[in-house]
Short mmCIF file of all heavy atoms in Angstrom, two decimals:
data_model
loop_
_atom_site.label_atom_id
_atom_site.label_comp_id
_atom_site.label_asym_id
_atom_site.label_seq_id
_atom_site.Cartn_x
_atom_site.Cartn_y
_atom_site.Cartn_z
N ASP A 441 26.45 62.19 94.56
CA ASP A 441 27.39 62.66 95.59
C ASP A 441 28.00 61.49 96.35
O ASP A 441 28.92 61.69 97.15
CB ASP A 441 26.67 63.58 96.58
CG ASP A 441 26.21 64.88 95.93
OD1 ASP A 441 26.89 65.33 94.98
OD2 ASP A 441 25.18 65.42 96.36
N ASP A 442 27.49 60.30 96.11
CA ASP A 442 27.99 59.09 96.76
C ASP A 442 29.17 58.55 95.96
O ASP A 442 29.01 58.07 94.84
CB ASP A 442 26.87 58.05 96.84
CG ASP A 442 27.27 56.79 97.60
OD1 ASP A 442 28.48 56.51 97.69
OD2 ASP A 442 26.37 56.09 98.09
N GLU A 443 30.37 58.62 96.53
CA GLU A 443 31.57 58.21 95.81
C GLU A 443 31.52 56.75 95.39
O GLU A 443 31.93 56.40 94.28
CB GLU A 443 32.80 58.46 96.68
CG GLU A 443 34.13 58.15 95.98
CD GLU A 443 35.33 58.52 96.82
OE1 GLU A 443 35.16 59.26 97.81
OE2 GLU A 443 36.43 58.06 96.49
N GLU A 444 30.99 55.90 96.26
CA GLU A 444 30.90 54.48 95.93
C GLU A 444 29.95 54.25 94.76
O GLU A 444 30.22 53.43 93.87
CB GLU A 444 30.43 53.69 97.15
CG GLU A 444 30.38 52.18 96.94
CD GLU A 444 31.74 51.57 96.66
OE1 GLU A 444 32.75 52.11 97.16
OE2 GLU A 444 31.80 50.55 95.94
N ALA A 445 28.84 54.99 94.75
CA ALA A 445 27.87 54.87 93.66
C ALA A 445 28.49 55.31 92.34
O ALA A 445 28.23 54.72 91.28
CB ALA A 445 26.63 55.70 93.96
N VAL A 446 29.32 56.34 92.39
CA VAL A 446 29.99 56.83 91.18
C VAL A 446 30.96 55.77 90.66
O VAL A 446 31.04 55.51 89.45
CB VAL A 446 30.73 58.15 91.46
CG1 VAL A 446 31.62 58.53 90.28
CG2 VAL A 446 29.73 59.26 91.74
N LEU A 447 31.71 55.14 91.55
CA LEU A 447 32.65 54.10 91.14
C LEU A 447 31.93 52.94 90.47
O LEU A 447 32.39 52.41 89.44
CB LEU A 447 33.45 53.60 92.35
CG LEU A 447 34.46 54.57 92.94
CD1 LEU A 447 35.08 54.00 94.21
CD2 LEU A 447 35.54 54.91 91.92
N VAL A 448 30.79 52.54 91.03
CA VAL A 448 30.01 51.47 90.42
C VAL A 448 29.48 51.89 89.05
O VAL A 448 29.49 51.11 88.09
CB VAL A 448 28.84 51.05 91.34
CG1 VAL A 448 27.92 50.06 90.64
CG2 VAL A 448 29.37 50.45 92.64
N ALA A 449 29.05 53.15 88.95
CA ALA A 449 28.55 53.66 87.68
C ALA A 449 29.64 53.67 86.62
O ALA A 449 29.40 53.33 85.45
CB ALA A 449 27.98 55.07 87.87
N VAL A 450 30.85 54.06 87.01
CA VAL A 450 31.98 54.05 86.07
C VAL A 450 32.24 52.63 85.58
O VAL A 450 32.43 52.39 84.38
CB VAL A 450 33.25 54.62 86.75
CG1 VAL A 450 34.49 54.34 85.88
CG2 VAL A 450 33.10 56.12 86.98
N GLU A 451 32.23 51.66 86.50
CA GLU A 451 32.44 50.27 86.10
C GLU A 451 31.35 49.80 85.13
O GLU A 451 31.63 49.04 84.19
CB GLU A 451 32.47 49.37 87.33
CG GLU A 451 33.72 49.55 88.20
CD GLU A 451 33.75 48.62 89.38
OE1 GLU A 451 32.72 47.93 89.62
OE2 GLU A 451 34.78 48.56 90.07
N ASP A 452 30.12 50.25 85.36
CA ASP A 452 29.03 49.86 84.47
C ASP A 452 29.20 50.46 83.07
O ASP A 452 28.93 49.80 82.06
CB ASP A 452 27.68 50.29 85.06
CG ASP A 452 27.27 49.43 86.26
OD1 ASP A 452 27.85 48.34 86.42
OD2 ASP A 452 26.39 49.87 87.03
N VAL A 453 29.64 51.72 83.01
CA VAL A 453 29.90 52.34 81.71
C VAL A 453 31.03 51.61 80.99
O VAL A 453 30.95 51.32 79.78
CB VAL A 453 30.24 53.84 81.88
CG1 VAL A 453 30.70 54.43 80.55
CG2 VAL A 453 29.05 54.61 82.41
N VAL A 454 32.09 51.28 81.73
CA VAL A 454 33.21 50.54 81.15
C VAL A 454 32.75 49.19 80.61
O VAL A 454 33.16 48.75 79.52
CB VAL A 454 34.33 50.35 82.20
CG1 VAL A 454 35.41 49.40 81.68
CG2 VAL A 454 34.95 51.69 82.57
N PHE A 455 31.90 48.53 81.37
CA PHE A 455 31.36 47.23 80.95
C PHE A 455 30.67 47.34 79.60
O PHE A 455 30.91 46.54 78.68
CB PHE A 455 30.41 46.70 82.02
CG PHE A 455 29.46 45.63 81.55
CD1 PHE A 455 29.94 44.43 81.05
CD2 PHE A 455 28.08 45.82 81.62
CE1 PHE A 455 29.06 43.44 80.61
CE2 PHE A 455 27.20 44.83 81.19
CZ PHE A 455 27.70 43.64 80.68
N VAL A 456 29.80 48.34 79.44
CA VAL A 456 29.05 48.50 78.19
C VAL A 456 29.98 48.83 77.03
O VAL A 456 29.92 48.22 75.95
CB VAL A 456 27.96 49.58 78.33
CG1 VAL A 456 27.28 49.82 76.99
CG2 VAL A 456 26.93 49.16 79.38
N LEU A 457 30.88 49.80 77.23
CA LEU A 457 31.79 50.19 76.16
C LEU A 457 32.68 49.03 75.75
O LEU A 457 32.94 48.81 74.56
CB LEU A 457 32.65 51.38 76.60
CG LEU A 457 31.92 52.70 76.86
CD1 LEU A 457 32.90 53.76 77.35
CD2 LEU A 457 31.20 53.17 75.60
N GLY A 458 33.15 48.28 76.74
CA GLY A 458 34.04 47.16 76.45
C GLY A 458 33.35 46.00 75.78
O GLY A 458 34.00 45.17 75.12
#
Side-chain angles (χ1 to χ4, degrees):
D441 294 330
D442 184 337
E443 184 175 345
E444 183 63 30
V446 170
L447 290 175
V448 173
V450 168
E451 290 182 352
D452 287 343
V453 172
V454 171
F455 161 60
V456 174
L457 294 177

